Amino acid sequence: MNFDSIIKRIEEKALLDFGSIFSNSIELFKKVWVQGFITLLLTFICMLPFYILIYVPLITAGITDPEMLQQEEMPTSVAIGMVLIMPIFLIGVMTISLALMAAFLRICKLKDLNESGNDDYFYFFKNGRLPKLFSLALIYFGVILVGMLTCGLGFIYAIVPLSLIPAFLAFNESLSAIEIVKASFRLGNKNWLVIFGLVIVMGIVAELGIILCFIGILFTAMLAKIPVYYIYKDGVGFSENEGLSLHN
């Protein structure tokens, strides 16, 4: 679907139903909890180099001046270095998160509609898709930054449309990065309260895994992400061609 078709679909669709999406998400989670766990582990592993990167100034300073580590306060030069690296760290983390989340949503579609296909977790890292991912990460970072500058109120508002970006990325490869963001905001604005409620409630439910000796959270955390699939499915819908694209 092109951008105009998607916007038209969003406008024509009925408002989302909280109860339906909640119950469907629970049922689908029973089918994809293993894939969710794998996605979470891959996210941690792929992000690890960026977490190491942010401590490079501190490690470098510790090697060149071991006595620095004994000081109570961090040297100004080290603090400045870490601040300068922070945007690179955040954009890198966002890029990885968007790619793996979009891949997980593709898997959700396969399991929900009983379609054939592989669980390709690295789909969006291949075939020249990285530039769009990077562009989306930059926009994502910019929106969050603007939201934080508005005393956090803008950030709360932006949580809803930003949470939908992986879905539009997953199921509309023909869209540009800016079109994906525009479509996400259009769907998010139309159903803001319902989506915000789902984000909060499903987040709380997903955290219940911590009861299982804390490690259970690794298996339930991705439950909070599944509603995004149904938000897209009910709020936009799939075309026949999209089903074919999942096998590429």
Side-chain angles (χ1 to χ4, degrees):
M1 289 188 290
N2 59 35
F3 179 72
D4 292 334
S5 299
I6 290 173
I7 297 301
K8 183 178 180 180
R9 281 194 176 205
I10 293 173
E11 296 301 327
E12 292 176 347
K13 291 282 185 176
L15 294 176
L16 298 176
D17 181 78
F18 180 98
S20 174
I21 293 176
F22 181 87
S23 58
N24 286 335
S25 297
I26 296 295
E27 290 302 313
L28 182 57
F29 177 70
K30 298 175 183 178
K31 300 179 181 179
V32 300
W33 68 270
V34 173
Q35 289 82 358
F37 174 66
I38 294 173
T39 301
L40 192 63
L41 286 183
L42 289 175
T43 301
F44 288 148
I45 293 171
C46 292
M47 287 182 179
L48 186 59
F50 290 96
Y51 280 99
I52 295 174
L53 175 65
I54 201 170
Y55 286 102
V56 166
L58 183 61
I59 296 172
T60 303
I63 294 174
T64 57
D65 183 13
E67 295 183 0
M68 181 273 296
L69 298 176
Q70 300 177 4
Q71 300 177 10
E72 295 183 0
E73 295 184 1
M74 183 182 299
T76 303
S77 59
V78 174
I80 293 175
M82 295 181 72
V83 170
L84 293 175
I85 292 175
M86 183 61 72
I88 300 175
F89 164 78
L90 292 174
I91 293 172
V93 166
M94 290 175 186
T95 300
I96 292 170
S97 179
L98 285 171
L100 292 175
M101 180 60 191
F104 175 67
L105 293 178
R106 284 168 52 84
I107 295 172
C108 286
K109 183 175 185 290
L110 289 176
K111 303 302 181 183
D112 177 46
L113 303 181
N114 295 316
E115 297 177 341
S116 60
N118 298 323
D119 296 346
D120 192 348
Y121 299 95
F122 297 103
Y123 180 86
F124 290 97
F125 291 108
K126 300 181 294 185
N127 299 328
R129 298 183 179 94
L130 272 176
K132 183 188 292 186
L133 272 174
F134 184 70
S135 297
L136 282 171
L138 285 174
I139 297 172
Y140 204 108
F141 176 74
V143 172
I144 290 177
L145 185 60
V146 171
M148 295 304 294
L149 292 176
T150 58
C151 300
L153 295 177
F155 176 72
I156 294 175
Y157 156 73
I159 285 176
V160 167
L162 289 179
S163 69
L164 305 179
I165 288 178
F168 284 94
L169 171 64
F171 305 121
N172 296 280
E173 291 197 58
S174 62
L175 296 185
S176 66
I178 193 64
E179 287 175 336
I180 288 174
V181 174
K182 288 181 178 179
S184 299
F185 271 83
R186 185 66 67 91
L187 179 59
N189 289 338
K190 180 180 178 180
N191 299 275
W192 196 91
L193 285 176
V194 173
I195 298 174
F196 184 75
L198 285 166
V199 169
I200 298 300
V201 174
M202 293 302 285
I204 294 174
V205 174
E207 293 294 327
L208 294 179
I210 202 170
I211 296 175
L212 303 175
C213 301
F214 291 96
I215 196 172
I217 190 65
L218 297 177
F219 295 94
T220 61
M222 292 302 285
L223 171 60
K225 306 298 183 181
I226 295 178
V228 174
Y229 165 72
Y230 283 106
I231 289 169
Y232 181 89
K233 181 182 179 182
D234 296 347
V236 181
F238 302 110
S239 67
E240 294 181 0
N241 292 333
E242 285 164 0
L244 297 175
S245 67
L246 286 176
H247 308 298
N248 296 332

